[in-house]
Amino acid sequence: MLLSAALQRSLASPHSRRAAARQISCNLLSGRSNSLIARGTSVRLLDIAANNHPHYAFSTAAAAAVSQEPVVSPPSPTPSSKPAEEKPFVPTPERKYHLFQNVEVTPAGVAIIRFDNRDKKVNTLSFALMHEAKDLWQTDIQSNDNIKSVVFTSAKESGFIAGADIFDISNVEDKSTLVPVIEEALQFFLNMKSKGVPMVAAMHGPALGGGLEWALWCDYRICTDSSSTKLGLPEVKLGLLPGFGGTQNLPALVGIQGSMDMMLTGKNILPAKAKKMGLVDMVVAPQSLEAVAIETAEGLANGTIKKSKPKKKTFINRLIEDTPPGQSMMWDKVKKMVDKNTAGNYPAPYAIMDCVKYGLANPSGLDKFKHEREGFAKLAATKESEALIGIFDGMNQMKKHSSPADPIKVKKVAVMGAGLMGAGIAQVTAEKGYDVLLKDRDDASLGRGVGYMTDNWGKKHKRRRMTKYQYNLNTSRVTPLSDQTESWKRHFAGADLVIEAVFENLELKRKIIQQVESVTPDHCVFATNTSAIPIADIAAPGEEVQRPENVVGMHYFSPVPQMPLLEIIPHAGTSEEALATAFAVGNKQGKTCVVVKDVPGFYVNRCLGPILVEVSALIKEGVPLEKLDKAMTRFGMPVGPITLVDEVGVDVASKVASFLSSADLGVRMGGGDISLMTNMVEKGWLGRKSNQGFFTYEGKKGKKIGPEVTSYLQEFTGGNVSDMSETDIQDRIASRLVNEAAKCLEDEIIENPVDGDIGLVFGIGFAPFKGGPFRYLDAVGVSSYVDRMNGFADTLGEQFEPCQLLKDYAASGKKFHG
């Protein structure tokens, strides 16, 4: 369980109580989740130095948020809009229902109900499905006395139920109308139970959100041992809570601790863990699922198999969950952890806690479900949920790239450079089924890259997130090559895509293209992972580059296996086929792809340049470092700008600021003094990697502002001391970022506001609950924001001058989204 045996001792002595509290804090909601509200992974930031250098930045909550599954929530009062080309469903004797196959009844009286959405690759819950489910139950099940038990399963290989169409909720203006709709759904589940026949949920593939909640109403749950099978309640990722009884049924089944861990993080539970924690009763092979489910349903009906019961709690867990002192300590630690991970910016985790507590206090009757659905409707009306759903919607939109050309068929991908970036690219490419050639200059460099991949896969296997078979399959797909490998040219002759991740040197990159073009087929696309060099310069026709139309930028963020964003940068001569190929491969790698114009800094790095300058200006004015960090974390950023620079490297940040200052941003890179970082680099203060940056680092966690930095800042500021308000700090930093994002849209560096929002949420961790810079502008009002910037421009300088697009939107009252 999540809480250790230390809690038993906590009931005995104050010293042990403190130890147990620390244990709870370490274990409960420990940040190993995929939630937008959880602490995520490092992000590659402004890595203009060398591509094989580990340029880590901050812990972005958004990075961990990249859940590709549909996330569920209760359906809305109105059905989802259907595609114009969709034909109306006409029932026939062979197919009575649109979203279900015809009910099959075995001679033993087992009714098999198979979800089967004819119009989608996956089954999802919708208003239409709930209505049809009621009709099916009333017509085929309720009045049929020959039916002794029921099996719910899916006719699709893609999964059980991947979730509901969340945009049903978005289409409802008055969210309070969701309350009676959810109540109607609850009555359907209660009506199913009232027939008094055993019900079995047979799950293969995703059973998420409302799909898992459906299974929780059943008497027995079976899932397959497939790697595609995952169970979870990820509503928190959309600022919502489980609305079909999940906050009540899940704790009753797996205990409070296990259920809170699932609901507050939105994590997926794999089959072995699901069996261990009592979420499912049996795990079987996919080919056996339906047969075992039918046999189990027969046994439940005739009494040879007992209905599922909640897993018996250990003595320790009874003390924790079933005694007032244990519960008090548990809820205290849960709240502290939620406070720490959300900074109070996300209401959903608190509402989930409230629903579970309410159910514990009111275990009988239906009031607990009423409390849950009312809580759901309130969350659905929050700006945080709207923003998070907007991010999810944006992710789905960005999976599609409109192109007049089809991508080439890619089977083999070559990666040049086996540093952290190259090895990371090779890892995600192999995991998605491509054959990979990983090449570096010598065997030692190559070995480090291969070791990076195998270590990562080994950790996944150790944590039971990867089978040994998958581990072996991944490693078998990678062919390591070096300059000393005589056959490397023969291997490259079969490459369809080459991705280079070498040092940031134009001459070197063009030399690699020349080398690659001499041994690869004419259709082979060449992608450069540069973070700074213009793609047009790399692809300029000449002796080294004979096929410029095949050259495109693919800018990954580090660490590649964790970071979801991929900037794709065509130059003016990039062919549509090459662009479509880069997009298709990026999608298959699991990345959210944003196509951006070939300009200095591309999009994400370009937006961050003005922030670095503004931070230096604020420091110059005498704003304390800790105050800067605190202000921006309270704004919603994963870490503050001072910690950011230390994590990414003061040297890297200095190079970025210098590079963009000499680029085409003009006055937008003005107003600060970047010598702040230049001087630090000369002193050897490179950040965490040298144990000395703005902070002095002592061990893994300890950091402080040392006397040398204090003295340096005293000299840099000229003794200035500022008591600037937190709001002013936030607005000055955020407005520089937001204005640059809007300028990128104005200059068509990005195609639309959706790309701009997703790029900064996933690229730098822009507060996910604000939805990105453009949703943030819509929320606060473009006109008022422009007024705020004009005020800064009047007192501080033209670097705060709003771009023309912002002025136009302010004058017209337009919004960027709808």
Side-chain angles (χ1 to χ4, degrees), residues 18 147 150 280 308 370 416 465 469 471 481 531 570 655 734:
R18 288 192 295 270
I147 292 177
V150 175
V280 300
S308 173
K370 179 174 181 289
M416 303 286 282
R465 296 177 183 175
Y469 169 77
Y471 174 93
L481 302 166
S531 58
K655 288 180 181 179

Side-chain angles (χ1 to χ4, degrees), residues 612-613 616 645 649-651 653-655 657 673-682 685 694 712 716:
L612 295 173
V613 176
S616 73
V645 172
V650 180
D651 55 335
S654 178
K655 288 180 181 179
D673 184 354
I674 60 176
S675 69
L676 169 70
M677 294 176 288
T678 306
N679 294 335
M680 291 176 67
V681 173
E682 292 176 356
W685 298 352
F694 285 104
Y712 170 64
F716 179 76

Side-chain angles (χ1 to χ4, degrees), residues 700-765:
K700 292 184 177 180
K701 294 185 178 179
K703 67 178 184 180
K704 64 180 182 180
I705 299 175
E708 289 185 327
V709 172
T710 301
S711 176
Y712 170 64
L713 292 178
Q714 180 75 13
E715 178 184 352
F716 179 76
T717 63
N720 290 333
V721 177
S722 173
D723 61 352
M724 188 180 298
S725 71
E726 183 173 275
T727 299
D728 281 351
I729 294 171
Q730 292 171 343
D731 286 350
R732 282 182 57 174
I733 294 176
S735 65
R736 300 289 297 268
L737 173 68
V738 168
N739 189 54
E740 195 58 43
K743 181 63 175 172
C744 285
L745 181 60
E746 177 184 315
D747 292 343
E748 299 181 340
I749 294 169
I750 51 174
E751 185 176 344
N752 54 57
V754 172
D755 288 0
D757 283 337
I758 298 298
L760 292 190
V761 169
F762 287 168
I764 67 169

Side-chain angles (χ1 to χ4, degrees), residues 549-617:
E549 70 279 3
N550 287 1
V551 179
V552 65
M554 292 180 74
H555 180 212
Y556 293 85
F557 291 73
S558 183
V560 178
Q562 283 78 41
M563 291 303 298
L565 189 67
L566 173 62
E567 290 181 318
I568 298 178
I569 312 101
H571 63 92
T574 299
S575 71
E576 288 291 341
E577 187 177 61
L579 177 59
T581 300
F583 198 93
V585 171
N587 260 345
K588 188 172 179 179
Q589 289 172 331
K591 303 302 178 185
T592 297
C593 303
V594 55
V595 178
V596 303
K597 188 184 286 186
D598 185 18
V599 296
F602 308 137
Y603 174 59
V604 173
N605 291 352
R606 191 177 180 89
C607 289
L608 280 164
I611 287 183
L612 295 173
V613 176
E614 188 58 30
V615 168
S616 73

Side-chain angles (χ1 to χ4, degrees), residues 378-696:
K378 289 178 182 177
L379 288 176
T382 62
K383 63 182 185 299
E384 291 84 4
S385 179
E386 181 182 3
L388 295 174
I389 289 175
I391 293 173
F392 183 80
D393 185 17
M395 289 170 57
N396 287 333
Q397 290 183 39
M398 293 171 68
K399 290 177 182 177
K400 300 176 182 178
H401 173 63
S402 56
S403 172
D406 293 327
I408 65 172
K409 189 173 182 179
V410 176
K411 293 182 178 180
K412 183 176 291 186
V413 177
V415 180
M416 303 286 282
L420 287 180
M421 287 303 300
I425 295 168
Q427 177 182 327
V428 299
T429 307
E431 287 175 352
K432 298 304 180 180
Y434 291 109
D435 291 328
V436 177
L437 307 175
L438 180 61
K439 184 179 180 297
D440 211 313
R441 60 183 181 273
D442 54 52
D443 291 338
S445 301
L446 187 62
R448 287 190 291 271
V450 172
Y452 172 85
M453 289 187 293
T454 55
D455 285 349
N456 285 343
W457 288 328
K459 290 174 184 176
K460 285 187 177 182
H461 177 249
K462 185 177 181 180
R463 295 168 184 167
R464 298 184 178 180
R465 296 177 183 175
M466 177 181 288
T467 64
K468 188 65 176 178
Y469 169 77
Q470 191 63 51
Y471 174 93
N472 291 334
L473 189 61
N474 288 340
T475 55
S476 71
R477 289 182 179 133
V478 179
T479 302
L481 302 166
S482 72
D483 288 346
Q484 287 76 48
T485 307
E486 294 183 1
S487 61
W488 79 262
K489 294 181 180 180
R490 176 170 55 82
H491 284 287
F492 268 63
D496 305 299
L497 169 67
V498 175
I499 304 173
E500 69 81 9
V502 300
F503 291 100
E504 289 288 79
N505 179 281
L506 176 60
E507 183 179 349
L508 173 62
K509 291 179 185 292
R510 287 180 61 82
K511 182 179 179 181
I512 287 177
I513 294 180
Q514 183 180 34
Q515 191 179 52
V516 166
E517 285 186 340
S518 68
V519 295
T520 55
D522 290 344
H523 72 267
C524 181
V525 174
F526 184 91
T528 172
N529 184 47
T530 181
S531 58
I533 303 173
I535 311 302
D537 291 353
I538 296 173
E543 182 180 346
E544 302 96 336
V545 182
Q546 301 295 314
R547 303 196 293 262
E549 70 279 3
N550 287 1
V551 179
V552 65
M554 292 180 74
H555 180 212
Y556 293 85
F557 291 73
S558 183
V560 178
Q562 283 78 41
M563 291 303 298
L565 189 67
L566 173 62
E567 290 181 318
I568 298 178
I569 312 101
H571 63 92
T574 299
S575 71
E576 288 291 341
E577 187 177 61
L579 177 59
T581 300
F583 198 93
V585 171
N587 260 345
K588 188 172 179 179
Q589 289 172 331
K591 303 302 178 185
T592 297
C593 303
V594 55
V595 178
V596 303
K597 188 184 286 186
D598 185 18
V599 296
F602 308 137
Y603 174 59
V604 173
N605 291 352
R606 191 177 180 89
C607 289
L608 280 164
I611 287 183
L612 295 173
V613 176
E614 188 58 30
V615 168
S616 73
L618 289 164
I619 294 174
K620 189 87 169 180
E621 292 174 33
V623 179
L625 303 184
E626 298 98 326
K627 191 172 184 178
L628 284 171
D629 267 1
K630 184 178 180 181
M632 294 316 294
T633 54
R634 292 185 67 166
F635 178 80
M637 304 300 282
V639 298
I642 305 304
T643 300
L644 168 95
V645 172
D646 268 7
E647 292 292 338
V648 74
V650 180
D651 55 335
V652 176
S654 178
K655 288 180 181 179
V656 169
S658 299
F659 171 76
L660 291 177
S661 293
S662 61
D664 60 346
L665 280 74
V667 297
R668 301 196 305 280
M669 282 296 291
D673 184 354
I674 60 176
S675 69
L676 169 70
M677 294 176 288
T678 306
N679 294 335
M680 291 176 67
V681 173
E682 292 176 356
K683 293 175 182 289
W685 298 352
L686 306 183
R688 181 182 285 276
K689 60 189 173 187
S690 66
N691 293 322
Q692 180 63 65
F694 285 104
F695 295 107
T696 301

